[in-house]
Amino acid sequence: MVLEKLRACWGFAPTVDRNIALVEGFLKGKSFADLAQEYGLSKSRVRQIIEKADRLVGGGILTKAEPSKASPRSDFMVNYPYIWNLAEMHRLGSVTPHHFFAELERAGSLERLIDKMKRLPWRAPTTRELARLVWQKERGESPWPAMKRSRVAIVEPSCPVDHPDRDLQCQHALEPAFQELAERAAESGWTEDEIVYALLELAGARLKSNSEQL
């Protein structure tokens, strides 16, 4: 249970697997010196990591466990493991879940936290966004906004198939819808490079599929 709480507390930090392994090794009786040599760290650094782990779970690693004094945040983190995935998926940052759990602890319930965020919309925008996503998931709703059907009309071709300007005319006809699609993707959080690359890949896949059917 201690290691599960730690993994939840550290979330998707890049060193989480190493830190968990350090704590697990220490709990199995390895010394700071042994762990330092095994993982290429200084003894002081190993001690810092394990001391921090001990504080996060309220004791039980270096000091005596005091469940009554331990912050319930680590329990929240274990109970809501998908929150880390939501934060990572929506690029809200690894520190945002920690802020979310701290706010949840102070609010006392997810419903009260949502109400608080609504009344104080200026507070921690990324934490507020994560709270919204978690609230929707808890209610069984999709965290993704409903995609609106494009209202941009695509102009019909005005020249025969073999006309030399047909390709250029098609580009002009599709450009408004293309711009709207790119803007909607950007509003959903995708970067310009990601949008362009995805569209190129999709166009290439469609071209390949059409070529294979010929």
Side-chain angles (χ1 to χ4, degrees), residues 39-184:
Y39 291 93
L41 301 170
S42 66
K43 287 195 295 184
S44 61
R45 181 57 182 150
V46 171
R47 178 184 289 275
Q48 287 175 355
I49 292 170
I50 293 177
E51 285 177 347
K52 180 177 181 180
D54 188 66
R55 290 194 299 271
L56 285 173
V57 298
I61 300 175
L62 277 173
T63 60
K64 183 180 178 181
E66 299 286 350
S68 61
K69 295 180 181 180
S71 168
R73 259 181 286 171
S74 54
D75 292 323
F76 284 137
M77 291 173 178
V78 172
N79 292 334
Y80 296 95
Y82 63 83
I83 289 174
W84 299 99
N85 292 331
L86 281 175
E88 187 172 29
M89 182 189 307
H90 293 269
R91 301 184 179 184
L92 299 177
S94 60
V95 73
T96 302
H98 290 286
H99 291 165
F100 168 83
F101 287 117
E103 292 285 350
L104 182 60
E105 179 183 352
R106 284 193 285 268
S109 71
L110 184 58
E111 187 173 6
R112 288 180 181 176
L113 174 58
I114 296 300
D115 182 62
K116 178 182 177 182
M117 290 296 184
K118 286 179 179 178
R119 288 185 287 107
L120 303 172
W122 52 269
R123 292 196 59 175
T126 54
T127 303
R128 188 176 68 247
E129 175 64 9
L130 181 59
R132 182 186 72 81
L133 294 170
V134 173
W135 178 245
Q136 287 187 309
K137 185 168 180 63
E138 287 287 291
R139 291 164 62 90
E141 301 172 2
S142 171
W144 302 99
M147 295 296 285
K148 296 180 180 178
R149 185 175 180 84
S150 175
R151 296 182 180 178
V152 177
I154 298 177
V155 179
E156 296 180 358
S158 61
C159 55
V161 176
D162 58 352
H163 194 280
D165 293 334
R166 175 90 173 195
D167 290 344
L168 184 60
Q169 191 179 86
C170 184
Q171 290 178 38
H172 287 313
L174 294 180
E175 186 176 8
F178 173 85
Q179 291 293 346
E180 185 193 39
L181 176 61
E183 288 172 7
R184 281 165 48 191

